[in-house]
Amino acid sequence: MMSLIAKLPQASNFAPLVDHLYDFIFWVSVVSFFIIVGMMGYFVLKYHRKRKAEDSTPYIEGHGPTEFAMAAVLFVLVMVIFAWGWMDYRKMLHSPEKTLEINIIGKQWFWNAEYPNGRKLKDELVVPEGADVKLTMTSADVIHSFYIPDFRIKQDVVPGQFTKLWFKPTKEGEYTAFCAEYCGFDHSRMLARVKVLRPKAFKKWYDNWKDEATQTEGDLTSPIEKGRLVFEAKACNACHTVDGKPLVGPSFLKTYGTKRPLEGGGEILMDENYVRESLMDPQLKISKGYPPAMPTFRGQLTDEEVNHVVAYLKSLSDGIATPAPQARNDMVQGDEESLEEKGEKYFEKFACNACHTVNGEKSVGPSLREIYGTLRPLQGGGSIEVSEKYLKESLINPGQYVVDGFPNLMPSYKHELSEEEIKALVEYIKGI
Amino acid sequence: MEHKNFLQEGGWKSWFVTLDHKKIGVMYLFTTLLFFAIGGIFSTLIRYELWTPEATFAKDLYNKFFTFHGAIMIFMFIIPGIPAALGNIFLPMMIGAKDVAFPRLNLGSYYIFIAGALLAASAIVFGGVDTGWTFYAPYSIKTQTAVILVTMGAFVMGFSSILTGLNFIVTTHKLRCPGMTVYKMPLFIWAIYATAIIQVLATPVIAITLLLLVMERVFQVGIFDASLGGDPILFQHFFWFYSHPAVYIMILPGMGIVSEVIAVFSRKHIFGYKAIAYSSLAIAFISFLVWGHHMFVSGQSAWANFLFSILTMLVAVPTAIKIFNWTATLYKGSIVLKTPMLYALSFIFLFTIGGLTGLFLAAVSVDVHLHDTYFVVAHFHYVMVGGTVIALFAGLHYWWPKIFGRMYSELIGRISWFFIFVGFNMTFLPMFWLGRQGMPRRYATYEPMYEGLHKLATLGSWVLNVGLILMFGGLLWSLFKGKKAGNNPWGGKTLEWHTESPPTVDNFYEIPTITEGPYEYGVKK
């Protein structure tokens, strides 16, 4: 039985704080509970009808002073608990100046992490013991919540905005991160391994990756560099300079992290959320002195690309010189790529591979190996030939014809895929 | 006797068009208990799935089970359970009236409730729904399941709730018998009145929210869906603006029942009548200002978290006043442990645990760890089942002889109470530790470290089921074989005990006049 209620490890700077208050409330509760239930039990035994006749009870309407005293004591007690909880929570809110910043994107049903040097991990997070770590998180689909019980930290991961979470891991070891906000079919399998390494081991892990990467197909471009490429590819530089000269829109030299005056009064801190909002809804908050001319980039930038633009803009404030462009990058695609090759990339980019394998193994959804041109049985009877039309329809309206034996789970990609991307995906699937 | 009782009057067809508040109440009672049974079957399936860490059913099936369990229990059982069933029967009788203020509206409310319930339940046939009872956007917008049917069902049932609340408010104001000043009203009436106010004020907000959700799904208007420029957090604000006060719609009537039962079975004037009455209103008022505590980790502003944490802490004060007063009522009483009293005392026991564990969740830093874990599941069930449902059982046994004119079996009543009390604690107490250790809620599969406590909880759910089956079996048996009940088997002083058992259609032969309060027990010095 003791093992059933074993203590959870305290593996972050916040764990002892949370546990301390938890224990305090626990003992306050235990004492209050035994006072109330003890009184109740004592009265029931002492004044049971066997011992006390029905017509012998005194007439008592109440006692104001006891009532008031009890309420006053309780009020003070709950205010103490409130203040204690609030003061600890404030520490969770404000991260130190210098942190290891990792971008997290939650997707049904996995976690993507991206490090400042461009290293990417799936369903895994590696952090150094004793260092301050800050996660900047967003979701590609529905609300998730990043939760590491051993660290006592949790933060919802919301589509359309960035949320932040910081902590200092204090104990080397392996821990589990859960998704704590219900997100559908595989919610309970949306886990990530969290490895806390000694600082030296972490540095080795972090740096050595470049050697590994050059040997494999790894992508050495840093998020800042990727951001610069997006900035050029989407022609942001047509209106925004990075050298301090205003053009159609404001320049971004040393603007990130500062307060920007707004048209119509007020000001706003230029942070992740303001950059994202300005990309998606540029007309909401206009910089003072500039025309409301910017078009929306909704649907044209992935969450990852937004992260990269943020990293780039941030770097313009750090005074860090932008690194030299790398020869290879996957952001600006050459024309020589075939439709099928593009499709293969989209297959990963849109996480089709999270549910569909290409090797014939059954997963959440059917494998897509050699299915083109075959007849597939449908849920509720009948069958359908896998044609270009059917593949396209399954992307846009997946619930229409569900293959027998699989759950009706696939989300619609109607708003997420362009005509071009659908074509490429269909072409790729045909050839699997 | 020349006067027939309300059950005999008119034959079986009269039930469908009856304007008698008691018949409507009895129909609500059996309908909501039926939904309680269905919701209970789903909860048993949930516990069965969680017997092992791996998936027993397909995961999407599990997700539908917990959604149905939550939606059915909340919208079709707990919300209408006490007010619309027991409140309907006893509000008019306890204030010395013949019926509610608007009998036709009352029948209309019942049929609206049935229509909404059927609409929502039809989702079971049309593929089910897997959003959880909270319908969080944007998942509820993206899922391919029958969200629209269930939300429209809840929308329709909301109108039934609003109309019932309106009816009760007017009835309480206008139909009290001569002499019944507000401070001579039984505390059950105060509780029902406070509940009715919340029903009328809060329910329209959920109606709008659910309607917006349906529009979002059908027309993609872009209010909650971030990919259309909406804000998913806005949905949570709307949803909890209703659903938090709704928690008090569920618990306040239960508190009313406990106040009645404890006074009667200890032959004492209730301790601190006005304190209990006004704490009901205070809870109803504060309940509108605490919704944000469901969103401490949603990313809402720190300032909001500050306010919602401090306001939530305030709820502890009126709640504790009530618990203190009930316990103090026992002092120097003459206590007899009949089944209703066993349930009322269990209520104090369980609700105290439910209330105290709320402190953990109201403290922001601790909530960061416990949010969306089994700790919340346990806390919620201690309040809603340990509180409301246990109070409903107290009321059911207490008023059973009055409604049906037959005594329930005291032996079966006590045995089933024992199984329910032990089974409930066995099921839900382990969940506090599960949550403490980080087990997230709504997981079809889980890490092996949680297996022991989950097994204990599942075993508990079976013990609980044995108790429930025994209790309902015993009650049904008593309808046919129970001893004939006298008019006032418990020696109660409130007005319903001055009627026949079962009451006649008009309740009273002549409208009574009140000279003293409802709890005049004991020897005045």
Side-chain angles (χ1 to χ4, degrees):
Chain A
M1 191 63 198
M2 278 322 285
S3 70
L4 288 183
I5 51 172
K7 271 232 160 184
L8 212 53
Q10 296 182 330
S12 85
N13 57 329
F14 296 124
L17 298 181
V18 170
D19 286 359
H20 197 177
L21 178 54
Y22 180 99
D23 290 341
F24 175 74
I25 306 176
F26 180 78
W27 289 112
V28 166
S29 301
V30 167
V31 171
S32 317
F33 177 76
F34 279 104
I35 290 175
I36 291 161
V37 172
M39 256 167 64
M40 189 174 91
Y42 176 73
F43 290 161
V44 168
L45 290 176
K46 181 152 188 213
Y47 306 120
H48 194 276
R49 195 158 296 173
K50 278 183 202 149
R51 290 172 209 75
K52 199 142 181 334
E54 201 172 338
D55 53 6
S56 69
T57 61
Y59 184 83
I60 306 170
E61 281 185 294
H63 192 251
T66 343
E67 202 108 48
F68 185 78
M70 202 256 337
V73 169
L74 193 78
F75 177 78
V76 172
L77 193 62
V78 294
M79 284 305 118
V80 168
I81 295 175
F82 156 75
W84 188 340
W86 170 252
M87 284 182 320
D88 284 348
Y89 176 69
R90 272 174 61 92
K91 294 176 190 150
M92 298 178 176
L93 282 179
H94 302 296
S95 65
E97 283 274 297
K98 280 201 108 130
T99 51
L100 168 65
E101 290 192 43
I102 305 171
N103 283 324
I104 302 279
I105 297 182
K107 271 186 187 175
Q108 285 170 321
W109 292 275
F110 51 92
W111 298 103
N112 275 337
E114 188 182 26
Y115 287 76
N117 68 354
R119 178 152 201 177
K120 287 182 188 175
L121 294 176
K122 188 180 157 193
D123 284 342
E124 199 184 358
L125 193 65
V126 180
V127 287
E129 185 189 279
D132 299 322
V133 179
K134 187 163 102 181
L135 309 180
T136 303
M137 309 186 290
T138 191
S139 161
D141 35 51
V142 301
I143 301 179
H144 304 282
S145 188
F146 193 80
Y147 175 36
I148 310 175
D150 296 324
F151 292 5
R152 315 287 190 277
I153 51 161
K154 184 185 290 120
Q155 173 63 56
D156 284 3
V157 179
V158 186
Q161 55 175 273
F162 290 103
T163 50
K164 283 174 235 171
L165 185 63
W166 87 273
F167 54 90
K168 185 198 288 189
T170 50
K171 235 185 223 157
E172 187 188 10
E174 271 198 31
Y175 308 96
T176 309
F178 295 102
C179 176
E181 185 68 66
Y182 173 69
C183 60
F185 184 75
D186 247 345
H187 169 53
S188 65
R189 284 278 181 250
M190 190 165 163
L191 313 177
R193 213 150 36 124
V194 180
K195 275 193 206 161
V196 178
L197 300 181
R198 284 276 154 76
K200 257 192 187 161
F202 177 81
K203 197 170 182 310
K204 204 171 147 203
W205 173 86
Y206 194 67
D207 293 339
N208 278 6
W209 168 68
K210 288 203 170 166
D211 305 331
E212 293 168 32
T214 41
Q215 284 157 23
T216 60
E217 46 80 60
D219 169 13
L220 272 179
T221 327
S222 75
I224 294 174
E225 175 56 18
K226 283 179 181 165
R228 195 184 66 80
L229 290 165
V230 174
F231 198 77
E232 282 167 15
K234 297 289 177 190
C236 308
N237 52 6
C239 300
H240 299 279
T241 69
V242 294
D243 59 5
K245 283 191 210 116
L247 223 54
V248 182
S251 168
F252 291 138
L253 182 69
K254 296 193 189 302
T255 50
Y256 190 92
T258 64
K259 291 237 163 92
R260 315 299 306 162
L262 293 176
E263 202 63 61
E267 54 179 21
I268 186 159
L269 177 72
M270 182 167 163
D271 62 0
E272 294 93 340
N273 277 316
Y274 179 54
V275 172
R276 173 189 274 272
E277 183 185 281
S278 299
L279 285 167
M280 302 305 165
D281 294 299
Q283 314 300 333
L284 282 184
K285 298 184 185 96
I286 312 251
S287 262
K288 200 177 175 72
Y290 294 95
M294 179 161 155
T296 174
F297 285 82
R298 188 179 294 288
Q300 298 178 42
L301 292 172
T302 64
D303 290 305
E304 248 186 344
E305 286 168 331
V306 175
N307 283 347
H308 296 153
V309 171
V310 168
Y312 177 56
L313 297 184
K314 203 184 276 184
S315 75
L316 295 173
S317 280
D318 292 346
I320 300 168
T322 53
Q326 299 279 336
R328 184 186 178 281
N329 66 73
D330 62 1
M331 305 311 295
V332 187
Q333 270 143 12
D335 284 341
E336 71 282 357
E337 230 174 356
S338 76
L339 208 54
E340 198 176 339
E341 280 167 341
K342 279 187 190 162
E344 188 173 359
K345 282 204 175 129
Y346 296 143
F347 196 74
E348 277 180 25
K349 181 170 158 193
F350 292 100
C352 309
N353 56 358
C355 300
H356 299 280
T357 70
V358 294
N359 60 7
E361 267 171 43
K362 207 172 140 175
S363 174
V364 180
S367 171
L368 302 182
R369 185 176 176 82
E370 291 172 358
I371 58 159
Y372 189 73
T374 61
L375 273 182
R376 316 292 296 174
L378 290 177
Q379 223 166 64
S383 59
I384 194 163
E385 191 196 330
V386 183
S387 59
E388 277 186 24
K389 182 164 169 268
Y390 174 61
L391 287 174
K392 199 170 154 188
E393 201 163 87
S394 297
L395 284 166
I396 292 171
N397 191 4
Q400 187 80 20
Y401 301 105
V402 181
V403 175
D404 196 30
F406 293 94
N408 177 12
L409 272 182
M410 180 161 154
S412 166
Y413 285 85
K414 196 169 165 182
H415 300 290
E416 290 172 40
L417 293 174
S418 66
E419 217 29 55
E420 170 79 13
E421 285 163 331
I422 289 177
K423 254 192 205 161
L425 274 169
V426 169
E427 204 54 39
Y428 169 63
I429 293 167
K430 276 165 73 176
I432 300 175
Chain B
M1 201 189 287
E2 51 186 328
H3 293 277
K4 280 186 176 174
N5 74 49
F6 82 101
L7 293 167
Q8 296 159 337
E9 191 80 40
W12 66 271
K13 275 185 198 159
S14 72
W15 285 82
F16 296 99
V17 290
T18 183
L19 299 180
D20 182 349
H21 67 99
K22 297 181 289 301
K23 279 189 176 171
I24 295 171
V26 169
M27 291 198 290
Y28 266 119
L29 185 64
F30 283 102
T31 317
T32 51
L33 289 180
L34 177 72
F35 287 127
F36 177 61
I38 298 172
I41 290 171
F42 282 115
S43 70
T44 309
L45 290 169
I46 291 173
R47 286 310 326 164
Y48 179 69
E49 162 69 74
L50 296 171
W51 178 253
T52 58
E54 302 82 34
T56 312
F57 311 117
K59 271 173 268 180
D60 53 332
L61 206 55
Y62 175 80
N63 295 342
K64 285 172 187 173
F65 286 164
F66 75 65
T67 304
F68 279 127
H69 167 67
I72 290 172
M73 287 298 198
I74 299 275
F75 295 114
M76 305 186 200
F77 168 62
I78 293 196
I79 290 180
I82 297 181
L86 295 177
N88 232 322
I89 302 173
F90 291 104
L91 166 64
M93 286 161 76
M94 288 172 103
I95 60 170
K98 283 183 178 182
D99 208 315
V100 293
F102 308 115
R104 279 189 184 78
L105 188 67
N106 200 17
L107 182 66
S109 305
Y110 177 73
Y111 280 114
I112 293 172
F113 171 66
I114 291 294
L118 288 179
L119 198 58
S122 68
I124 298 180
V125 186
F126 295 104
V129 63
D130 69 344
T131 57
W133 77 276
T134 47
F135 306 116
Y136 268 22
Y139 186 75
S140 56
I141 300 165
K142 294 187 190 245
T143 176
Q144 307 269 331
T145 52
V147 175
I148 292 180
L149 281 177
V150 180
T151 45
M152 287 317 288
F155 175 79
V156 172
M157 283 186 278
F159 281 96
S160 161
S161 193
I162 294 171
L163 296 175
T164 302
L166 194 68
N167 215 337
F168 286 0
I169 291 174
V170 178
T171 306
T172 312
H173 275 287
K174 304 303 286 186
L175 296 185
R176 297 196 309 275
C177 66
M180 184 169 284
T181 58
V182 285
Y183 295 125
K184 290 205 169 73
M185 290 196 311
L187 287 165
F188 181 66
I189 305 303
W190 276 93
I192 288 284
Y193 182 76
T195 309
I197 290 175
I198 313 180
Q199 282 176 301
V200 170
L201 293 181
T203 318
V205 180
I206 192 76
I208 295 164
T209 313
L210 295 177
L211 212 53
L212 285 174
L213 186 64
V214 170
M215 285 176 57
E216 188 87 348
R217 271 185 79 93
V218 180
F219 304 113
Q220 275 123 35
V221 284
I223 296 167
F224 304 131
D225 187 349
S227 62
L228 298 168
D231 182 356
I233 302 298
L234 182 66
F235 177 85
Q236 297 180 19
H237 279 293
F238 281 174
F239 182 83
W240 290 114
F241 188 84
Y242 163 77
S243 295
H244 194 82
V247 175
Y248 297 92
I249 293 180
M250 304 174 212
I251 191 67
L252 282 172
M255 294 173 159
I257 293 174
V258 170
S259 304
E260 301 300 324
V261 171
I262 287 189
V264 170
F265 287 88
S266 49
R267 321 297 314 164
K268 280 279 304 292
H269 190 288
I270 195 90
F271 191 92
Y273 173 94
K274 283 191 185 173
I276 294 183
Y278 281 111
S279 60
S280 287
L281 293 185
I283 289 174
F285 175 71
I286 304 174
S287 77
F288 281 97
L289 307 172
V290 298
W291 78 90
H293 68 217
H294 296 268
M295 301 162 61
F296 282 157
V297 297
S298 71
Q300 75 180 351
S301 79
W303 179 230
N305 283 352
F306 177 90
L307 283 177
F308 284 121
S309 174
I310 204 167
L311 287 164
T312 303
M313 289 292 181
L314 292 182
V315 180
V317 177
T319 313
I321 286 177
K322 281 173 182 285
I323 291 180
F324 171 75
N325 285 330
W326 292 321
T327 315
T329 304
L330 300 170
Y331 175 67
K332 291 193 174 171
S334 169
I335 298 163
V336 55
L337 294 175
K338 299 268 189 204
T339 309
M341 188 60 163
L342 285 176
Y343 279 113
L345 297 179
S346 311
F347 174 97
I348 296 180
F349 183 100
L350 301 171
F351 186 75
T352 301
I353 297 179
L356 288 169
T357 49
L359 291 176
F360 293 78
L361 299 170
V364 197
S365 67
V366 179
D367 181 71
V368 167
H369 174 50
L370 298 176
H371 198 89
D372 271 323
T373 67
Y374 265 68
F375 195 95
V376 178
V377 178
H379 162 71
F380 183 68
H381 282 84
Y382 263 86
V383 176
M384 289 291 99
V385 184
T388 308
V389 179
I390 292 294
L392 170 69
F393 292 167
L396 208 54
H397 286 90
Y398 176 59
W399 281 315
W400 194 261
K402 178 52 64 186
I403 304 173
F404 298 107
R406 302 268 188 176
M407 296 302 291
Y408 62 85
S409 154
E410 194 61 52
L411 182 70
I412 299 179
R414 285 179 187 182
I415 294 175
S416 55
W417 165 81
F418 178 79
F419 276 100
I420 289 171
F421 184 75
V422 172
F424 173 80
N425 283 300
M426 223 173 121
T427 310
F428 292 101
L429 209 53
M431 292 187 191
F432 286 117
W433 276 275
L434 277 173
R436 168 84 178 102
Q437 294 187 317
M439 166 80 205
R441 61 195 293 200
R442 296 174 169 178
Y443 265 30
T445 58
Y446 54 85
E447 299 291 286
M449 66 178 281
Y450 302 120
E451 190 175 358
L453 289 167
H454 269 306
K455 280 207 154 59
L456 191 60
T458 300
L459 287 175
S461 75
W462 297 340
V463 176
L464 179 57
N465 277 340
V466 168
L468 289 169
I469 291 169
L470 204 58
M471 183 188 85
F472 285 118
L475 287 175
L476 287 178
W477 170 87
S478 76
L479 284 183
F480 306 99
K481 302 279 179 181
K483 263 197 318 207
K484 284 249 188 286
N487 288 350
N488 193 357
W490 317 124
K493 302 243 174 187
T494 42
L495 282 175
E496 79 273 27
W497 302 111
H498 294 275
T499 64
E500 307 271 330
S501 293
T504 54
V505 175
D506 287 341
N507 300 339
F508 303 95
Y509 293 113
E510 57 186 54
I511 291 299
T513 302
I514 290 292
T515 50
E516 53 177 24
Y519 307 110
E520 298 296 309
Y521 302 102
V523 187
K524 283 186 197 172
K525 277 179 191 162

